[in-house]
Amino acid sequence: MRYILQGFLILGLTFLTQIGGVAWLLSLSMPRRTLRLALFALSYLVLWAACLWLAPLGGRVALPCHGTGHATGPLEMRSWLTCALNRNYVTPDLKATLERTAQTMQDRHPGTITQVLDANFPFIDGFPLLPHLSHKDGRKADLALYYMRDGQYLAGKTRSPLGYFAFQQGPSDCPRKWPTLRWDMGWLQGLFPDYQLDPQRTRDLLAVLQADPAIGKVFLEPHLVAEIGANEPKIRFQGCRAARHDDHLHLQLAPRDG
Ligand SMILES: [Zn+2]
């Protein structure tokens, strides 16, 4: 029984952070629980730092986490937790694209902060960043939507702490069908502040992504696309089985040539 529990723990930590399972395995060499937890924390920290150096060898780089929550530049990670869990890695191409996009948005609307939510793990093509099945090659990332209150843009703020799960409600043609990743999380919705979507910035962001040849596709829920009046051909519906995209926006690089 103990071995099964340990197995689940290692698997869970691996799927959550990619390196957590290895850190836990290392900690098992300690006889007492407190020592084990201490070695786990230390191993995790060392492995986390090592990723910053090792991931570029395999073609992924970390999106910088300093400044998270302090809005020091046009692009930032939404949450330090995403960084701590190692979910902020992308290919150098995608990093450059995100920086370019955020800079353009800030040029058009001074003070605009573009925030990245989940990206990818540091290693291994094909290893998905659950629950995002497609975030497995460093070429995909999720962006927070832009919000406002009483018509005023809220720089660096999202309705939910992680940027996910605070859905903008609207009509949908999706039937309620199992299995699905299309969670509604109705029980959570009342907890989030009632910010409104910033239609101007969101529309401009979509136009910037449309104009960038590096970008292949963008996923956003059809009712939001209709609401803000965007009709860029790169904006697609992700399908009814995938997660809702009216709490965030997903983008991915265009396929490589050849
Ligand atoms: Zn995504």
Side-chain angles (χ1 to χ4, degrees), residues 54-61 90-92 122 137-138:
L54 293 174
L57 304 178
R60 296 193 198 171
V61 290
V90 291
T91 61
D137 54 6

Side-chain angles (χ1 to χ4, degrees), residues 132 134-135 140-142 245 248 250-251:
H132 319 273
S134 76
H135 292 219
K140 282 100 180 176
D142 291 345
H245 283 70
H248 74 282
H250 166 102
L251 59 84

Side-chain angles (χ1 to χ4, degrees), residues 49-108:
C51 287
L52 296 172
W53 302 96
L54 293 174
L57 304 178
R60 296 193 198 171
V61 290
L63 290 169
C65 294
H66 58 255
T68 295
H70 303 291
T72 51
L75 183 74
E76 69 169 12
M77 296 299 300
R78 172 66 189 97
S79 167
W80 58 268
L81 191 64
T82 312
C83 298
L85 298 179
N86 243 4
R87 301 164 77 94
N88 58 318
Y89 283 80
V90 291
T91 61
D93 282 3
L94 182 49
K95 184 179 179 185
T97 304
L98 290 168
E99 287 172 344
R100 197 163 60 228
T101 303
Q103 188 60 55
T104 308
M105 284 303 292
Q106 198 174 63
D107 293 346
R108 287 195 189 178

Side-chain angles (χ1 to χ4, degrees), residues 145 147 159 163 165-172 182-184 197 219-224 238 243-249:
L145 301 175
Y147 294 97
R159 291 182 58 209
F165 310 137
F167 302 111
Q168 301 298 115
Q169 303 300 344
S172 159
R182 198 181 164 82
W183 310 306
D184 290 324
L197 188 72
F219 291 152
L220 190 65
E221 207 70 23
H223 74 84
L224 281 188
Q238 72 284 348
R244 287 174 67 157
H245 283 70
D246 47 8
D247 56 340
H248 74 282
L249 171 156

Side-chain angles (χ1 to χ4, degrees), residues 133-151:
L133 297 174
S134 76
H135 292 219
K136 59 183 178 186
D137 54 6
R139 300 169 62 78
K140 282 100 180 176
D142 291 345
L143 292 183
L145 301 175
Y146 301 113
Y147 294 97
M148 53 187 199
R149 184 170 47 197
D150 305 328

